[in-house]
Amino acid sequence: MIEVKHLRTLSVLRDTGSLTSTATQLCLTQSALSHQLKDLEVRIGSPLFLRKTRPVRFTAEGQVLLALADDVLPRLARAETDLAALKEDAQGRLHMAIECHSCFQWLMPALKEYKVSWPLVTLDFSSGFGFEPLPALAGGELDVVITSDIAQRSEIHYEALFDFEMRLVLADTHPLANKKSISPEDLANETLLTYPVQRQRMDVIKHFLQPAGIEPAQFKSADNTLMLIQMVTAGLGVAALPNWAISEFSRQGLVVDRPLGKGLWRRLYSAVRSQEASRPYLTAFFATARTQCHTHLIGIKKV
């Protein structure tokens, strides 16, 4: 019986105090406004305001509808704003940098599932190896950085995904394969095989070797996990890799893996700009990533 247009008309009539000003503000003719108000009065069976008063004086029935307008119209405006924001988010952008190549093992299935629910979000990738991704994120060049190497900045929000263990990967014939765990000193004479990452950003260097004042004898790099595993099996060196990235190779007996010290556990984050962390298309990505990780990766821990 009562429509939103009626509530808006009464609210404007109260604010302006006259029918002429109300018609002007609502872009209606005087005749159309009078017809709308008369129609509403017929529907409720009672006058809504006293004619020929200035400012307009409302009847008890009119006051009831004005109270309804004060409740409904702001809520409707908020809903329209939220719907507009969702429409904007549905067409958002995820320009990502991934700081570990092994992340593609779970990230690709996660993004495939994510695109089913968010098909209009544009995806793009940049390697996190050749530049500093966090300044690029803060500056708007990137939208998401997958990393375990955090730097506290007020403009960056770190959304925790899962905890994982870095383990040393060796050929089964390597002398260190006989040890139950690896100490920093064990790597002093070794060739460390790594992704092409700046050394100061490597977990094994930053959190295991540097605190002990140890540096490997030599470094060699490879672009992907499979190549690193092949180099390990060929006896070209040892590698420190996430437990979930090497579990299948260890299960097949292609390599052996040992803990670094008492266990070098790290946390993987999805870094985004703080002001955008609650946007629906980003929170949906966080949720999808967590679900995929805990469904498919071995040895990780929930956070």
Side-chain angles (χ1 to χ4, degrees), residues 37-57:
L37 291 170
K38 188 63 178 177
D39 176 61
L40 179 57
E41 289 178 326
V42 169
R43 294 188 189 195
I44 66 174
S46 177
L48 296 171
F49 60 95
L50 301 180
R51 265 65 175 180
K52 298 182 180 179
T53 59
R54 189 174 180 88
V56 171
R57 292 172 56 193

Side-chain angles (χ1 to χ4, degrees), residues 16 51 119 134 144 195 207-208 294:
T16 62
R51 265 65 175 180
L134 291 181
V144 179
Y195 299 116
H207 302 285
F208 186 65
H294 292 297

Side-chain angles (χ1 to χ4, degrees), residues 167-172 193-195 222-242 245-250 252-257:
R167 294 178 69 88
L168 193 72
V169 186
L170 317 112
D172 58 2
L193 307 173
T194 71
Y195 299 116
D223 288 335
N224 59 71
T225 303
L226 182 57
M227 181 62 70
L228 287 175
I229 295 296
Q230 291 175 337
M231 293 170 71
V232 167
T233 60
L236 299 181
V238 299
L241 296 172
I246 59 174
S247 57
E248 183 61 23
F249 300 113
S250 295
Q252 296 178 32
L254 299 176
V255 293
V256 297
D257 59 273

Side-chain angles (χ1 to χ4, degrees), residues 99 132 134 147-152 158 166 184 187 192 194 197-216 219 240 260 264-266:
E99 290 204 290
E132 290 287 348
L134 291 181
T147 183
S148 62
D149 184 20
I150 69 173
Q152 294 298 338
Y158 293 94
M166 294 293 295
L187 301 183
L192 187 62
T194 71
V197 182
Q198 294 171 335
R199 293 178 188 177
Q200 65 270 25
R201 292 166 56 194
M202 296 178 189
D203 286 332
V204 65
I205 298 293
K206 188 174 181 179
H207 302 285
F208 186 65
L209 294 177
Q210 276 186 354
I214 300 296
E215 182 166 336
F219 288 89
L260 292 162
L264 179 60
W265 283 86
R266 304 292 298 142

